[in-house]
Amino acid sequence: MTLELILQNLPWEGDFDYEAECILRLFFPGEKIAVLHQPQTPQGDWVSAVLTGQGEGIAIELSVQIGGQTQKARDLVLPSEIVVGGMEWEAERRLCLLLYEALCRMTGIRPPWGILTGVRPVNFCRKLQRELGSIAAVRESLIRDYQVLPQKADLALSTLQAQESILATNTPESYSLYVGIPFCPTRCLYCSFVSHAIDRAGKLVPEYLELLCRELEEIAAIASRLGLHLRTVYIGGGTPTTLEPEQLAKLLGQMEKSFPLFQSSEYTVEAGRPDSITREKLQVLKDFGVSRISINPQALDDKVLQAIGRAHTAQETLDAMALAREMGFDNVNMDLIVGLPEQTPESFNRSLEQVLALGAENITIHTLTVKRSSDLRATFGSDAYDRGSYPLDALLAQSQEKLRQAGYRPYYLYRQQGSRQNQENTGFCLPGREGLYNIFSMEDAHTILAAGAGAVTKLCAPPDKVRRVFNYKYPYEYISGFEEILNRKRQITEFYKEGSP
Ligand code: SF4
């Protein structure tokens, strides 16, 4: 498909490619899209948008030809009509709206988040709130100016309100620590992370852990010199409980030695895969003061689990949760995914009811996302985006209602490109049991110092200054390029010396 964007006589060097392409992807996930900036003789499916300066305004001429259908639309953007931001922002919003509405008419699909294509709708709502003032004004603008469905606007705004009191505890010195363990028992069909199956990559673990401990020491020394204050710790990946008990003890021992863990109000370890959980490993987590764990069923249906390459049964999740409770873990997150292969609405509902019956303090409902690097995409090609499709909107709305009735409320929310039917991922929790790390990291509230392969340090000075420092992605690169990873840590100190924006 060709997306032709032509900008003429504009008072700025506009670049709307990314947003316009994201709108197209809402309707045609997985399609190849070529963006051009010169007029071409149209061939096949194409979209053409010409933006021309007209006095103080911007005229937009849109033509869409897809699957033999043609749509044409035009708009004139005037300075008096700016919703937020300047003319450039407004012209981009109006171009996206024009394209969105044309594609809705052509395809009969209405993506529920309208023209919001970013991963963090709550963050966007917070920006709108700063401009528009009240929550009611933000809601109205989301629905009218961004074509967000009312139920999605309400979900985002409830989430925003749930975060307020937690974000108010943040200080300029606050930071969280992320530690990545990129190993898993097997690789899930939909996985796009760097995680490696332990049977093939297990030989890397001892050296990986050695270097990880050195990286943690270095981060701790920098944080201490800068006078930073540790708020939360999150050990994820991957599946950290893929490590053997003594390897876990080595890692958590290093954490205890290097960091003032007493300062942090949350210490999470992802014990995501039930087939990686044993009494000995949970005992190590308890001994080192881990306060929150994740046990992620994704589905409590063996047929679905088998289809997505999880080498465990639903019963193993129930057993792992019973063991965790017996050992005193009283803050547990459980993830479920909607839209999985072989999953039916009934199967998803049964899984949700079982997770509710287990009384997990956090329940995160994800929508299956098809990533280019996943086995799901490799196996099914572009069909991966449609397989098992049934209307997810109603199913998610029902599940949110069930969660609300059981006393849960949404506390963090994000979206991913390629998620089935453009739905979202939402974390729900019982009162006072919000996963703090999730909020701080998703909302760029404070710096996340990160260690391990694939980890990304995110240096934040709210409201808007964010700089990322990347570690190498794969464990073998992490090992071979370790000195460079340590070098890059200098950027942390430089960032704090530069001061706030
Ligand atoms: S458990 Fe998570 S990180 Fe591991 S393979 Fe599955 S999706 Fe990937």
Side-chain angles (χ1 to χ4, degrees), residues 378-497:
T379 310
F380 298 113
S382 53
D383 280 356
Y385 297 93
D386 297 323
R387 284 178 61 83
S389 303
Y390 39 81
L392 298 182
D393 229 359
L395 190 59
L396 282 166
Q398 270 170 25
S399 70
Q400 286 161 15
E401 191 46 39
K402 269 186 207 154
L403 283 153
R404 280 204 176 91
Q405 282 173 10
Y408 292 78
R409 65 172 183 171
Y411 78 93
Y412 93 112
L413 169 67
Y414 67 101
R415 300 181 57 223
Q416 288 173 292
Q417 258 194 18
S419 68
R420 282 206 165 153
Q421 297 172 28
N422 295 301
Q423 301 291 340
E424 67 284 339
N425 306 316
T426 312
F428 294 84
C429 68
L430 290 172
R433 309 312 289 270
E434 291 82 5
L436 303 179
Y437 173 86
N438 293 331
I439 297 178
F440 292 138
S441 66
M442 192 56 65
E443 301 308 315
D444 290 344
H446 63 222
T447 286
I448 309 292
L449 298 180
V456 182
T457 287
K458 205 162 51 158
L459 301 164
C460 299
D464 288 322
K465 188 176 169 191
V466 177
R467 190 175 306 156
R468 290 178 170 76
V469 184
F470 295 87
N471 279 7
Y472 292 117
K473 215 168 162 190
Y474 296 100
Y476 62 88
E477 291 174 312
Y478 177 82
I479 291 169
S480 62
F482 185 72
E483 293 310 319
E484 169 59 17
I485 284 175
L486 287 190
N487 272 338
R488 291 181 188 174
K489 295 279 172 291
R490 279 204 305 266
Q491 295 178 47
I492 302 172
T493 308
E494 286 163 12
F495 181 85
Y496 279 94
K497 291 212 164 131

Side-chain angles (χ1 to χ4, degrees), residues 3 37 39 47 51 66 146 148 178 182 187 198 262 318 348 355-356 369 389 403 407 431 451 470:
L3 171 61
H37 289 103
V47 174
L51 278 80
I66 293 174
Y146 297 90
V148 176
Y178 174 85
R187 190 167 161 87
I198 195 71
F262 62 88
L318 304 181
F348 174 76
V355 168
L356 281 169
T369 296
S389 303
L403 283 153
F470 295 87

Side-chain angles (χ1 to χ4, degrees), residues 183-184 186-188 190-193 195 237-239 273 298 310:
F183 306 103
C184 283
T186 56
R187 190 167 161 87
C188 304
Y190 49 80
C191 185
S192 64
F193 298 123
S195 195
T239 307
R273 295 278 292 257
Q298 314 303 17
R310 308 264 291 191

Side-chain angles (χ1 to χ4, degrees), residues 129-140:
Q129 195 187 6
R130 283 203 290 270
E131 301 255 0
L132 303 176
S134 70
I135 290 286
V138 175
R139 183 179 190 275
E140 199 183 314

Side-chain angles (χ1 to χ4, degrees), residues 124-152:
F124 180 71
C125 290
R126 194 166 286 115
K127 283 186 185 147
L128 272 187
Q129 195 187 6
R130 283 203 290 270
E131 301 255 0
L132 303 176
S134 70
I135 290 286
V138 175
R139 183 179 190 275
E140 199 183 314
S141 179
L142 287 173
I143 295 168
R144 184 194 55 222
D145 304 325
Y146 297 90
Q147 293 293 303
V148 176
L149 292 185
Q151 62 268 32
K152 299 300 185 193

